[in-house]
Amino acid sequence: MATIIPSNIESLKDSVIKHDHPIVGDRVIEGDGTSQDAWQNWQELHNLPPLDIAINITALTRVCIFAPHPDDEILGCGGLLQHLAVNGTPILLVHVTNGTQSHPNSEIYPPERLNTIRPQESMNALKALGVAPQVSTITLKLTDGKVFAERELFKKKLATIIRPNDILVTPFVHDGHPDHEATGQVVKAYAKLHHLPCYQVLIWAWHWAKPADSRVPWHLALRVDLTAEQVRRKSHAITCFTSQISTDQSTGNPPILSAQTIARISQPWEVYLHELQS
């Protein structure tokens, strides 16, 4: 993931503190966020209808997973990826950016180094997950932290890679990170225009939202359950993102992904929002 408040909107910190961010509004990622226990103890989450991979996604249909930054595909879809691999489904992983702005002012992780490191970490994670042979990866090379500003370019690039029968998976349009929300908006709009199935995955929403939060359309939610082995593999894959889980010794900044964030995203479920096409 990129920095929580991207460097190109540092001047907007005051509005973030007031929970009036110009892009994400009151869906602000700050503090420790909602606890892992709070989600585990919310019974309605356990009662969500399942997303049946074998029924909803045929083995011949390509699934395109959009990751705003290298690591979002594992954090959000590490379980789904494993289910798709078992299903024999071809997978296209689309890195919208290479996550080069995750460590401002770092001597260890300058942007030019992250441009190589983060895609390699993603490749290592796919291998750890056991799905690498079925995944093709491309990068759109949009600017980390500026996806919202580059939406028109994003749309043009989409038209060159999406096929008529693809299924699209993208972060929730209100996920709380500007790059995630921009990605979700562009992909969802494209899917609607071309009558393609689109699933929105919750990633940072687990941080800022609360159980039964009205800002999340839970009536559209489907649950993907993970076995203990699938959770173990997902957790192992997350450890491949060394740049995101380590303290930056050159700046003293803590890991981008805190232990609490990792624990919260490593539950035995993933949740996807799916709205039937009219």
Side-chain angles (χ1 to χ4, degrees):
M1 292 185 179
T3 50
I4 302 308
I5 301 174
S7 57
N8 64 304
I9 54 173
E10 283 293 311
S11 62
L12 302 174
K13 281 184 177 178
D14 289 341
S15 61
V16 172
I17 294 172
K18 296 175 183 176
H19 289 190
D20 188 25
H21 189 282
I23 296 177
V24 303
D26 62 356
R27 302 175 298 278
V28 178
I29 304 164
E30 61 183 7
D32 292 332
T34 303
S35 71
Q36 177 185 14
D37 289 344
W39 289 115
Q40 288 180 336
N41 294 330
W42 184 38
Q43 188 56 45
E44 291 304 312
L45 182 59
H46 297 272
N47 294 337
L48 292 177
L51 170 57
D52 192 317
I53 307 297
I55 292 177
N56 294 80
I57 302 175
T58 68
L60 298 179
T61 303
R62 187 177 72 163
V63 173
C64 302
I65 295 178
F66 289 84
H69 319 99
D71 75 355
D72 289 317
E73 68 277 13
I74 304 297
L75 299 175
C77 306
L80 177 65
L81 280 163
Q82 294 179 75
H83 280 291
L84 293 175
V86 171
N87 198 41
T89 302
I91 304 162
L92 176 66
L93 171 58
V94 182
H95 287 149
V96 180
T97 80
N98 276 347
T100 57
Q101 301 302 313
S102 63
H103 291 71
N105 305 314
S106 174
E107 296 177 4
I108 299 175
Y109 295 117
E112 59 273 15
R113 187 159 182 249
L114 286 169
N115 195 49
T116 300
I117 288 176
R118 298 201 63 182
Q120 183 60 54
E121 289 175 340
S122 174
M123 185 177 298
N124 294 341
L126 293 172
K127 291 177 180 177
L129 207 60
V131 303
Q134 283 181 234
V135 180
S136 300
T137 303
I138 63 172
T139 178
L140 301 186
K141 297 183 179 179
L142 298 188
T143 306
D144 185 11
K146 295 184 179 180
V147 178
F148 194 83
E150 297 178 351
R151 286 172 296 170
E152 291 305 315
L153 176 59
F154 193 167
K155 293 174 186 177
K156 292 178 181 178
K157 288 177 178 278
L158 269 186
T160 67
I161 61 175
I162 301 303
R163 299 172 184 169
N165 295 318
D166 283 344
I167 293 175
L168 311 185
V169 179
T170 185
F172 177 31
V173 296
H174 294 144
D175 203 44
H177 188 297
D179 283 350
H180 286 222
E181 297 204 3
T183 298
Q185 290 171 19
V186 170
V187 174
K188 180 185 177 184
Y190 187 93
K192 184 175 182 179
L193 180 64
H194 295 277
H195 307 287
L196 300 175
C198 182
Y199 293 85
Q200 301 173 57
V201 62
L202 304 185
I203 302 177
W204 277 113
W206 297 116
H207 181 106
W208 59 259
K210 302 281 192 280
D213 199 310
S214 62
R215 293 170 293 177
V216 178
W218 298 107
H219 64 287
L220 301 177
L222 300 171
R223 177 174 163 135
V224 172
D225 287 312
L226 282 62
T227 66
E229 175 60 18
Q230 288 172 331
V231 172
R232 187 196 67 76
R233 287 195 178 197
K234 179 174 178 177
S235 297
H236 179 46
I238 291 173
T239 67
C240 294
F241 296 98
T242 305
S243 68
Q244 306 302 295
I245 64 175
S246 304
T247 298
D248 187 340
Q249 298 299 332
S250 69
T251 62
N253 289 333
I256 304 300
L257 298 174
S258 68
Q260 185 166 354
T261 297
I262 294 172
R264 187 169 44 228
I265 210 72
S266 302
Q267 307 273 20
W269 64 72
E270 293 168 354
V271 172
Y272 297 81
L273 307 176
H274 177 57
E275 190 171 358
L276 294 175
Q277 298 280 354
S278 58

